[in-house]
Amino acid sequence: MWAIIKKELKTYFFSPIGYVFIGLFLAMFSIIFYITTISQGAITYQYVFFYSVMYIVVFIIPLLTMRMFSEERKNGTEQLLITSPRSMVAITLGKFIAALLVIIITELFTLVYLAIMYYFKAPAIMTVLTTMFGFLLLSMTYISLGMFISSLTENQIISGISTIAVFVVTWLAPNISTNLIAISLIDKFYPFATGVFPITETISLLSITVMFVLLTMIVMKRRKLVK
Amino acid sequence: MIEVKNVTKKYGNFIAVDNVSFTVNDGEVVGFLGPNGAGKSTTMNMITGFIEPTEGTIEVNGYDILKQPLKAKKKIGYMPEGVPLYNELTVKEFVTFMAELKRVPRKERKEKVAKVLYEVGIEDVANKLIRNLSRGYKQRVSMAGALIGDPEVIILDEPTVGLDPKQITEIRQLIKKLGKKHTVILSSHILSEISQICEKVIIINKGKIIAVDTPANLEKKTESKNVILLTVEDNKNNMEKLNKDIPEILENKFIKNNDDGTKQYMISSNIEFDLRKKLFEILPKKDITIFELKNAEKSLEDAFITLIDTNTREREKEKEEENKKTKETGKEDKNKTEKTIKNEEKKKDKQKKKETTDKEKVGKKIKEETKKQEGGKK
């Protein structure tokens, strides 16, 4: 699995994708940071994450996930992976963890903003921690969903755009009917911003992640029969 | 050792590989031969575990590819068709990645990567991005990926496609060298290549194996006539009456007048007669001087084309018979009007025409390619 993680990280950072992802995120994060804290004079770090989750993550996580399996399939490199003595579990998890590592690296960068805030006044540390943890969990869920969609098509653009579409649907669905709140992923993130560790939401997000990782493995295994 | 037993691969109603069985022994170099779309790549993909067969079993060195995939795959080095590579990595990084995938121990990794890079002759581009390499180099990088980790079985799908003649001979030599230590399966639609490298040839057409044999035996098998090319000086035109003196002659055909006044004839007989001795005895008596006499050798190419042609003809016959049967049942069935039957016939005719022209094209292409290569070698 380590071999695949290493290779995936290389593809992220030897190509522009990794830098574009982190750059875009930080640029937009800065704007939100300015709007929600500096201009307001507020010491509420969670709001930065709150809005960034809403407006940034939905649109840029597909950058990471759209190529995951689509590119391999299009270039035929999936043949190298599948015919190697590695299980589908290792291949899928390797890819998943690599994308997650990019998110973790990005999140480490955001500590700079926290430091700026500390310069003025220390925010409630518990809230900061739960928010950052929630952000990571939500990103995991998004990655697994994007990865699953990527395993369905060999076209990166289709993969990327349908991922965004699915994210937006889960985001806006509760506005159509409150009955649809169950499929809203972002709604599962809000409780993390309160500073309390929400067990229900954690389990919920984790299980959705596991579900889509498993679904990806199933799709990849099934392709052996259909292809 | 690779054992393929009754393997079938279906895509919906289309049968890509139809009940194929064969074994490849340790240390053998086996060539898969067949026109485009014959099922070569599909078979190879099934052996390597990239796709699963609909029916049948495949064992690689005793491990079932479906039941013990990781152990079986560890024995295999595979170079897929179309040379898939990670363009954003350098050659060395790619080969190292392949070594990691194949669980080459960390301590030996550096050494083994260097060795493979040397073997396939890509040391000088080791630190270049794969994206920037030419096709020939990419091919070799892909081959390095297959060779790393010393797999016992090496499977190469069209290893020489897209290479220049010099590279082709280099790759062939490399494959020959590999054949001494490893079991090698390679596919190709270039016949001269297979006859040069392989000890055994498996010919596939439309998903079915139609012959498994050594290249030499295949050539012999498909010979139905003995053909002799004869260059003679024959001022009295006695050659034309030769059929009376040698009754075994099936055909006595004048080919051309040479510049030096000699003439060339082609004489054929049934396979059991060797006319050379008789010709030497009788021709001088008829005032014919022999300048040159040689057996016209059949190449593997002819063997291949005859085999494929007869095979497809047989299949067409089978189809026709089936069609007749369905037609008869159709007549009984009053609901089926004559119109639909006629339409069907028309469709079939069209298909046949298409198939035959396609075959001709394939034959021509193959000939051209072999010619090009032979020219290149010279």
Side-chain angles (χ1 to χ4, degrees):
Chain A
M1 192 157 69
W2 178 234
I4 292 157
I5 296 176
K6 227 165 78 182
K7 191 235 110 208
E8 282 290 301
L9 283 179
K10 272 184 190 168
T11 23
Y12 282 131
F13 291 108
F14 287 180
S15 67
I17 301 172
Y19 302 103
V20 169
F21 178 84
I22 295 178
L24 264 179
F25 182 87
L26 290 181
M28 288 159 89
F29 196 84
S30 306
I31 296 170
I32 293 172
F33 180 71
Y34 179 79
I35 297 170
T36 57
T37 49
I38 305 268
S39 67
Q40 309 268 326
I43 310 289
T44 45
Y45 192 56
Q46 66 268 34
Y47 284 120
V48 191
F49 270 107
F50 192 88
Y51 287 107
S52 63
V53 155
M54 238 183 213
Y55 299 114
I56 316 175
V57 176
V58 166
F59 298 100
I60 68 169
I61 283 216
L63 267 183
L64 290 184
T65 61
M66 66 183 200
R67 44 159 293 282
M68 276 179 151
F69 285 97
S70 307
E71 195 181 32
E72 301 251 9
R73 190 187 290 189
K74 187 149 206 170
N75 294 341
T77 44
E78 65 170 0
Q79 292 195 46
L80 300 175
L81 291 180
I82 293 173
T83 59
S84 73
R86 298 288 172 156
S87 63
M88 200 58 82
V89 179
I91 295 168
T92 318
L93 278 185
K95 282 179 170 287
F96 176 77
I97 292 171
L100 190 60
L101 282 176
V102 178
I103 297 279
I104 291 174
I105 293 168
T106 319
E107 205 170 5
L108 287 179
F109 273 113
T110 64
L111 291 179
V112 174
Y113 302 92
L114 194 62
I116 294 171
M117 204 178 273
Y118 258 97
Y119 179 76
F120 296 106
K121 196 188 174 212
I125 191 68
M126 199 54 209
T127 320
V128 171
L129 286 179
T130 51
T131 313
M132 286 180 81
F133 180 69
F135 174 77
L136 205 61
L137 271 183
L138 186 70
S139 303
M140 271 167 77
T141 315
Y142 277 157
I143 291 171
S144 65
L145 190 58
M147 181 168 79
F148 169 66
I149 292 172
S150 167
S151 73
L152 297 175
T153 169
E154 64 173 337
N155 188 321
Q156 286 192 48
I157 311 252
I158 291 178
S159 158
I161 289 178
S162 9
T163 311
I164 293 180
V166 171
F167 287 174
V168 170
V169 166
T170 66
W171 169 26
L172 296 178
N175 297 343
I176 302 167
S177 158
T178 43
N179 295 325
L180 293 174
I181 207 153
I183 67 159
S184 167
L185 296 175
I186 287 179
D187 273 289
K188 293 185 174 52
F189 169 74
Y190 296 152
F192 286 94
T194 59
V196 186
F197 188 79
I199 292 174
T200 328
E201 276 72 19
T202 307
I203 293 172
S204 169
L205 284 176
L206 274 179
S207 47
I208 294 172
T209 308
V210 172
M211 179 177 87
F212 279 111
V213 171
L214 285 177
L215 280 176
T216 314
M217 288 174 194
I218 292 168
V219 166
M220 290 308 287
K221 275 195 177 164
R222 222 195 103 67
R223 266 176 52 70
K224 276 192 183 182
L225 277 171
V226 185
K227 214 210 150 257
Chain B
M1 187 159 113
I2 298 167
E3 274 191 287
V4 176
K5 281 181 205 156
N6 307 321
V7 164
T8 301
K9 179 73 190 174
K10 285 181 194 167
Y11 297 113
N13 285 327
F14 176 70
I15 301 171
V17 174
D18 192 358
N19 199 16
V20 159
S21 305
F22 60 89
T23 38
V24 179
N25 297 319
D26 288 335
E28 256 183 339
V29 181
V30 172
F32 262 132
L33 199 58
N36 296 333
K40 290 171 293 184
S41 294
T42 312
T43 313
M44 291 188 146
N45 277 335
M46 285 193 286
I47 296 174
T48 53
F50 179 56
I51 52 178
E52 279 177 24
T54 320
E55 279 163 39
T57 55
I58 297 169
E59 279 184 14
V60 181
N61 281 14
Y63 297 115
D64 190 304
I65 192 78
L66 292 182
K67 286 171 192 156
Q68 293 167 294
L70 300 189
K71 280 183 183 166
K73 284 172 187 174
K74 217 183 163 196
K75 308 274 176 202
I76 302 174
Y78 180 37
M79 175 180 153
E81 192 187 11
V83 211
L85 296 168
Y86 292 106
N87 287 325
E88 62 277 4
L89 301 183
T90 66
V91 172
K92 206 172 181 179
E93 278 166 348
F94 174 75
V95 180
T96 314
F97 169 62
M98 290 306 286
E100 285 170 12
L101 269 188
K102 289 181 179 177
R103 299 177 193 278
V104 176
R106 182 185 287 268
K107 282 177 192 168
E108 302 165 27
R109 215 176 280 155
K110 249 191 174 177
E111 196 185 312
K112 284 202 169 164
V113 168
K115 196 182 141 212
V116 165
L117 290 182
Y118 170 75
E119 268 180 352
V120 295
I122 47 174
E123 282 170 310
D124 47 334
V125 293
N127 293 319
K128 268 194 179 178
L129 279 182
I130 292 176
R131 185 199 312 277
N132 300 331
L133 295 182
S134 69
R135 168 84 199 201
Y137 270 118
K138 280 187 183 171
Q139 199 101 4
R140 288 198 236 178
V141 174
S142 181
M143 199 136 171
L147 297 183
I148 190 84
D150 290 323
E152 287 157 44
V153 176
I154 293 169
I155 298 180
L156 308 165
D157 202 345
E158 308 206 333
T160 56
V161 163
L163 299 185
D164 67 46
K166 188 172 166 271
Q167 291 168 329
I168 287 178
T169 41
E170 280 171 9
I171 292 272
R172 278 183 195 159
Q173 271 161 3
L174 179 63
I175 295 172
K176 269 189 185 172
K177 213 170 85 187
L178 290 173
K180 284 173 191 160
K181 278 193 252 163
H182 310 259
T183 310
V184 182
I185 303 182
L186 63 104
S187 79
S188 179
H189 51 255
I190 301 162
L191 298 125
S192 57
E193 183 170 285
I194 297 268
S195 58
Q196 276 178 35
I197 310 173
C198 303
E199 294 144 22
K200 198 160 102 179
V201 185
I202 298 174
I203 298 186
I204 309 186
N205 186 31
K206 294 192 173 175
K208 275 190 176 167
I209 290 185
I210 50 179
V212 182
D213 218 327
T214 61
N217 276 347
L218 275 179
E219 281 163 31
K220 267 187 206 163
K221 253 189 197 173
T222 46
E223 271 178 37
S224 55
K225 283 187 219 164
N226 256 337
V227 181
I228 291 170
L229 283 177
L230 197 60
T231 312
V232 292
E233 194 178 62
D234 174 26
N235 297 328
K236 294 175 184 172
N237 277 335
N238 282 336
M239 273 304 284
E240 283 155 22
K241 300 165 200 160
L242 205 60
N243 292 27
K244 287 176 193 167
D245 301 303
I246 311 174
E248 289 92 348
I249 291 180
L250 276 182
E251 203 184 354
N252 179 2
K253 202 170 134 194
F254 171 74
I255 297 178
K256 61 174 180 184
N257 278 313
N258 289 334
D259 295 338
D260 55 358
T262 56
K263 292 171 184 173
Q264 199 178 27
Y265 286 87
M266 190 187 81
I267 291 170
S268 59
S269 68
N270 273 328
I271 191 92
E272 58 263 32
F273 302 115
D274 190 350
L275 289 180
R276 284 177 290 186
K277 205 177 163 193
K278 266 199 172 168
L279 286 172
F280 270 117
E281 277 173 15
I282 290 170
L283 291 187
K285 289 176 193 165
K286 301 280 167 193
D287 286 333
I288 303 172
T289 323
I290 299 175
F291 275 67
E292 194 189 7
L293 184 151
K294 64 175 178 184
N295 246 345
E297 269 181 49
K298 270 209 157 189
S299 66
L300 190 58
E301 191 175 308
D302 298 320
F304 174 68
I305 290 169
T306 351
L307 275 172
I308 299 271
D309 278 355
T310 45
N311 182 263
T312 22
R313 244 177 273 145
E314 277 166 20
R315 297 235 187 137
E316 270 167 21
K317 263 187 192 173
E318 277 170 29
K319 262 190 195 171
E320 267 174 41
E321 272 164 28
E322 264 176 42
N323 289 342
K324 270 181 196 169
K325 273 178 198 171
T326 50
K327 243 189 255 171
E328 277 161 20
T329 51
K331 271 176 194 168
E332 286 160 23
D333 189 355
K334 283 175 187 173
N335 292 339
K336 206 174 188 184
T337 53
E338 276 181 290
K339 262 189 183 176
T340 53
I341 294 172
K342 271 184 186 173
N343 280 341
E344 272 180 15
E345 277 177 341
K346 271 182 194 170
K347 272 185 196 169
K348 271 165 212 160
D349 283 347
K350 270 184 191 172
Q351 270 186 348
K352 259 184 227 167
K353 271 181 196 169
K354 255 192 186 174
E355 276 174 9
T356 44
T357 46
D358 283 353
K359 255 177 266 154
E360 281 168 11
K361 275 181 198 167
V362 170
K364 270 183 194 171
K365 262 190 189 170
I366 291 171
K367 275 188 183 172
E368 278 172 10
E369 265 173 302
T370 41
K371 265 183 200 169
K372 266 186 207 168
Q373 282 191 342
E374 277 161 9
K377 262 181 258 159
K378 280 168 197 168

